[in-house]
Amino acid sequence: QIEPPGGSSARRVGPFYEDEIHPDRSLFWWSYAANKRSITLQLASRDGRALLKRLMPSAHFLIESFPPGHMERLGLGYDALAAINPALIVVSITPFGQDGPYAHYRASDLNGMGMAGFMYVTGDPDRPPARVGVPHFYLHGSAAGATGAMIAHAQRVLTGQGQYVDVSCQEAVARTLASAPQL
């Protein structure tokens, strides 16, 4: 797992083990980073980009969630990385995908769930929409990314070629509503 200098912001999400607020004691982080080793990497620096490129020949997957076009602007787009490792699978997870009218919009969980249609089917008809449980807009996108990565992996096993997987969290949530009752 590659983290920015100072560590992932998820390390600062509680609850914390034995109530000691510390980036290495976040139970949230422990659950999401299980079985991963972490390094810090500053992609904004030339050395950081060079280090990522040195890691690519042995990488199987690269999962990123930068705004659309960010990796390309750094010289780390799919084509550049696939030139280093043709078997690499790159998964980009963003609120609304890499292109389209909302591609460069940001989204909180609440906004994303609303724009995906989920808020329409929650709550009572005579009251405003209700948020359901914990934030899961990005979790749906992550699950879609994992699924896309495994499908790309199955193809890589057959052909030896990697792929680029573009995930829209909005589309992932909208797909979960395919069998939702329409009110």
Side-chain angles (χ1 to χ4, degrees), residues 50-127:
L51 176 55
L52 182 70
K53 287 179 180 179
R54 284 199 315 269
L55 292 169
M56 287 302 98
S58 63
H60 298 280
F61 301 92
L62 175 68
I63 302 166
E64 62 91 9
S65 59
F66 289 109
H70 183 78
M71 293 293 280
E72 286 80 9
R73 285 189 294 279
L74 294 175
L76 301 171
Y78 176 73
D79 291 337
L81 298 178
I84 297 168
N85 178 355
L88 181 67
I89 294 169
V90 175
V91 180
S92 294
I93 302 171
T94 58
F96 305 106
Q98 292 294 306
D99 52 34
Y102 300 117
H104 294 283
Y105 285 26
R106 290 199 225 159
S108 66
D109 182 76
L110 187 63
N111 293 12
M113 294 302 279
M115 290 184 73
F118 196 86
M119 302 299 286
Y120 179 75
V121 297
T122 60
D124 297 318
D126 61 332
R127 300 183 68 187

Side-chain angles (χ1 to χ4, degrees), residues 7-182:
S8 170
S9 60
R11 290 178 173 273
R12 293 180 281 287
V13 175
F16 295 91
Y17 181 67
E18 295 183 343
D19 293 324
E20 182 184 333
I21 299 173
H22 189 277
D24 293 332
R25 297 177 72 84
S26 165
L27 298 178
F28 179 86
W29 174 253
W30 288 359
S31 69
Y32 282 98
N35 297 318
K36 293 183 182 90
R37 291 182 300 173
S38 294
I39 64 167
T40 58
L41 185 64
Q42 179 56 271
L43 291 179
S45 75
R46 183 180 320 172
D47 289 343
R49 291 188 300 275
L51 176 55
L52 182 70
K53 287 179 180 179
R54 284 199 315 269
L55 292 169
M56 287 302 98
S58 63
H60 298 280
F61 301 92
L62 175 68
I63 302 166
E64 62 91 9
S65 59
F66 289 109
H70 183 78
M71 293 293 280
E72 286 80 9
R73 285 189 294 279
L74 294 175
L76 301 171
Y78 176 73
D79 291 337
L81 298 178
I84 297 168
N85 178 355
L88 181 67
I89 294 169
V90 175
V91 180
S92 294
I93 302 171
T94 58
F96 305 106
Q98 292 294 306
D99 52 34
Y102 300 117
H104 294 283
Y105 285 26
R106 290 199 225 159
S108 66
D109 182 76
L110 187 63
N111 293 12
M113 294 302 279
M115 290 184 73
F118 196 86
M119 302 299 286
Y120 179 75
V121 297
T122 60
D124 297 318
D126 61 332
R127 300 183 68 187
R131 179 172 177 205
V132 176
V134 299
H136 53 106
F137 180 66
Y138 290 97
L139 296 179
H140 283 284
S142 297
T147 302
M150 291 299 99
I151 292 169
H153 174 65
Q155 184 67 21
R156 176 176 57 195
V157 168
L158 297 174
T159 67
Q161 291 298 303
Q163 292 184 45
Y164 179 72
V165 179
D166 176 15
V167 176
S168 159
C169 295
Q170 180 190 29
E171 286 184 41
V173 172
R175 288 183 189 278
T176 67
L177 300 174
S179 61
Q182 301 303 309

